Amino acid sequence: MEKFVIEGGRRLSGEIHVSGSKNATLPILAATLLTDGVCEIRNVPKLRDTLTMCKLLRSLGKTVDISGNKVTISGAVNNHEADYKLVSTMRGSFCVLGPLLGKLSKAKVSMPGGCVIGVRPIDLHMKGIMALGVKADFDAGYVIAHAARLKGAQMYLGGTFGSSVLATANVMMAATLAHGETIIECAACEPEIEDLGNFLSAMGAKIQGHGTPRIVINGVKKLNGTSYKMASDRIEAGTFLLMAAATKSDILVKDAHYNHLLALVDKLQSIGAEVKRVGSHDIRVKCKKTLKPANIVTHPHPGFPTDLQAQYMALMAITPGVSIINDRVFPDRFMHIAELNRMGAQIRRDTGVAIVEGVKQLYGAPVMASDLRASAALVMAGLVAKGKTEIYRIYHLDRGYENLDVKLNNIGAKVSREKE
Ligand code: UD1
């Protein structure tokens, strides 16, 4: 296993490039199961999670060639069983359920289980596919689903915590080859869903409204292969904006979609950071003065993203004053508190929220990464801390940030990747 060793206290400056979106790539790779044609997907981030999805596609019969950031998928799916070993390592694997059902009208997919950020039920996925006429059972940890022919239907896909990104993705993919019209109400509006809809359209699907709460899909008989370029990763871009604010730096984040990050940009501006759109693809962030503390509540898009909550907490940890952080999407997503506190932060939990009392200085310490975004928060804390921070279990980071150490070193950080 590897660890990061960070020497903190350095200002960052220059340009940092954002890679392709992980969370958009995963369902788009899964969507290639819907066709026997050749799909070429460009700007795919080289990450543990995208490689896991490629392995899963191979296990289902597809031929997958990876060349740099281009993935070419061909051949027909010849197996409808997604194995526990692959699905349990990455929840995103569960989004092969929809395309397997769309293409083969049957699927056996391991239930993903919970993870450190929460229980993570699958009731909305099941509700959606069952509305399409699918019969489903649970057996020995697997969802076993089949239908004579999937039939379009209107459905309401909102749950206790709002819409679900991957449940929306699963239903969209299954419905592309169903008979008739499907209407998803309370669909997830995340940019990753918009990207998936664009990809499915490029494959020949009839789909409208992706990116809004009402998606309408008219089933077609067959989908074709296509070539597609992944949009950039809004969470990686948002992490860089927060890192610049925390280290009082001036950086240009290249290939970052301003419109996808409005909740974060608005928050950063309101606490005193300068954040500006540069051209159509870049964002400049400049932060020279001490910021003000401010509360956040996470919500589904276009609200403040839960995937930036841990990184925002790291920023508030070194912003004098008190701020309250409430995660309404994953209410238990607070594993990073204990590790940030080991570095001198003053954060406590109180009935569903985190209360952060900003301190003047964090101090380097050995800390343990617990999940992907929590790890990014620890890197942020390491960048601003006095002294040396060692972050163990960085395989979590490698699930979602492409070459993070290299990218940060290029703008003046001192991060080394070492054997544990
Ligand atoms: C996706 C993202 C993840 C992000 C999350 C929320 C991927 C691979 N992962 O995960 O990074 O943090 O969106 O933006 O794209 N829920 C139910 N029932 C369900 C499904 C979900 O109650 O059947 C709940 C969840 O527990 C959570 C909320 O709905 O409270 C949102 O979860 P969801 O949007 O489904 O997250 P994912 O799609 O798994």
Side-chain angles (χ1 to χ4, degrees):
M1 278 204 272
E2 292 177 319
K3 63 178 178 182
F4 268 2
V5 180
I6 304 177
E7 277 181 36
R10 302 163 79 95
R11 288 244 157 86
L12 310 175
S13 70
E15 296 180 359
I16 191 160
H17 285 256
V18 181
S19 298
S21 163
K22 168 183 91 75
N23 283 356
T25 299
L26 296 177
I28 283 178
L29 287 174
T32 65
L33 292 166
L34 290 161
T35 180
D36 297 343
V38 180
C39 292
E40 183 190 86
I41 305 170
R42 290 165 285 122
N43 201 29
V44 170
K46 248 195 174 164
L47 301 168
R48 273 169 66 100
D49 277 11
T50 49
L51 294 175
T52 301
M53 183 55 89
C54 289
K55 258 193 220 164
L56 182 56
L57 293 181
R58 285 193 187 109
S59 78
L60 298 170
K62 301 293 263 184
T63 301
V64 182
D65 289 318
I66 303 172
S67 161
N69 292 103
K70 187 173 87 177
V71 178
T72 308
I73 300 130
S74 56
V77 49
N78 62 15
N79 171 22
H80 68 284
E81 184 171 332
D83 188 60
Y84 173 73
K85 281 199 201 88
L86 287 171
V87 180
S88 61
T89 59
M90 180 184 78
R91 249 194 91 84
S93 311
F94 196 63
C95 67
V96 298
L97 178 68
L100 284 175
L101 283 168
K103 188 75 166 80
L104 304 175
S105 298
K106 61 180 178 179
K108 181 174 174 186
V109 179
S110 172
M111 286 159 69
C115 67
V116 292
I117 71 172
V119 181
R120 308 192 77 175
I122 52 167
D123 55 312
L124 295 173
H125 298 250
M126 302 315 294
K127 181 180 176 185
I129 58 157
M130 287 163 87
L132 299 176
V134 171
K135 302 247 179 303
D137 281 317
F138 299 101
D139 185 41
Y142 280 78
V143 173
I144 300 173
H146 61 92
R149 169 100 208 253
L150 270 66
K151 287 199 191 75
Q154 183 171 28
M155 66 187 77
Y156 177 79
L157 222 49
T160 319
F161 300 101
S163 53
S164 161
V165 179
L166 290 179
T168 303
N170 259 330
V171 175
M172 278 166 80
M173 292 189 275
T176 53
L177 293 175
H179 180 71
E181 185 180 71
T182 297
I183 302 175
I184 309 174
E185 308 280 6
C186 201
C189 302
E190 269 67 6
E192 293 74 25
I193 291 293
E194 208 176 330
D195 228 358
L196 174 64
N198 291 339
F199 179 72
L200 292 168
S201 297
M203 293 173 88
K206 299 260 172 289
I207 177 159
Q208 286 174 325
H210 39 296
T212 79
R214 186 172 207 258
I215 301 177
V216 181
I217 302 152
N218 277 286
V220 294
K221 289 218 165 74
K222 191 172 166 244
L223 294 177
N224 46 260
T226 189
S227 173
Y228 195 81
K229 182 174 178 223
M230 294 311 308
S232 68
D233 194 304
R234 67 190 168 104
I235 303 301
E236 188 192 8
T239 303
F240 293 152
L241 298 186
L242 285 159
M243 283 177 172
T247 53
K248 303 272 181 300
S249 300
D250 178 354
I251 64 171
L252 184 69
V253 184
K254 303 277 293 176
D255 210 5
H257 288 272
Y258 191 89
N259 289 346
H260 291 173
L261 285 163
L262 290 178
L264 173 67
V265 168
D266 181 65
K267 188 57 68 177
L268 284 173
Q269 288 169 338
S270 74
I271 62 177
E274 266 182 57
V275 187
K276 280 195 190 128
R277 187 198 309 246
V278 179
S280 51
H281 296 299
D282 306 334
I283 302 178
R284 170 113 186 247
V285 55
K286 201 159 138 188
C287 183
K288 292 282 174 244
K289 54 184 182 191
T290 304
L291 300 174
K292 291 180 283 185
N295 303 343
I296 56 157
V297 181
T298 70
H299 286 293
H301 192 75
F304 195 98
T306 174
D307 284 351
L308 289 173
Q309 179 258 105
Q311 302 90 312
Y312 183 79
M313 189 185 291
L315 174 64
M316 287 299 101
I318 45 118
T319 302
V322 176
S323 54
I324 296 175
I325 295 182
N326 186 346
D327 198 320
R328 289 259 172 88
V329 180
F330 291 113
D332 291 322
R333 189 175 203 174
F334 287 128
M335 293 287 285
H336 37 284
I337 294 179
E339 298 303 298
L340 289 171
N341 284 350
R342 297 191 69 250
M343 299 177 71
Q346 296 281 332
I347 308 169
R348 66 197 149 85
R349 271 200 78 174
D350 195 353
T351 48
V353 297
I355 301 169
V356 187
E357 283 177 52
V359 295
K360 282 214 176 88
Q361 181 72 63
L362 294 178
Y363 297 91
V367 286
M368 191 76 78
S370 58
D371 73 68
L372 169 54
R373 306 303 169 187
S375 322
L378 295 179
V379 173
M380 260 182 78
L383 292 175
V384 292
K386 192 168 182 185
K388 187 170 91 173
T389 298
E390 288 175 297
I391 306 178
Y392 290 86
R393 299 199 187 161
I394 54 158
Y395 58 84
H396 288 293
L397 264 178
D398 294 333
R399 286 189 43 215
Y401 290 91
E402 191 177 43
N403 300 326
L404 184 62
D405 44 341
V406 178
K407 288 185 184 187
L408 290 175
N409 288 338
N410 284 341
I411 56 168
K414 205 156 181 222
V415 183
S416 57
R417 184 183 281 268
E418 297 177 10
K419 289 262 171 284
E420 274 190 10

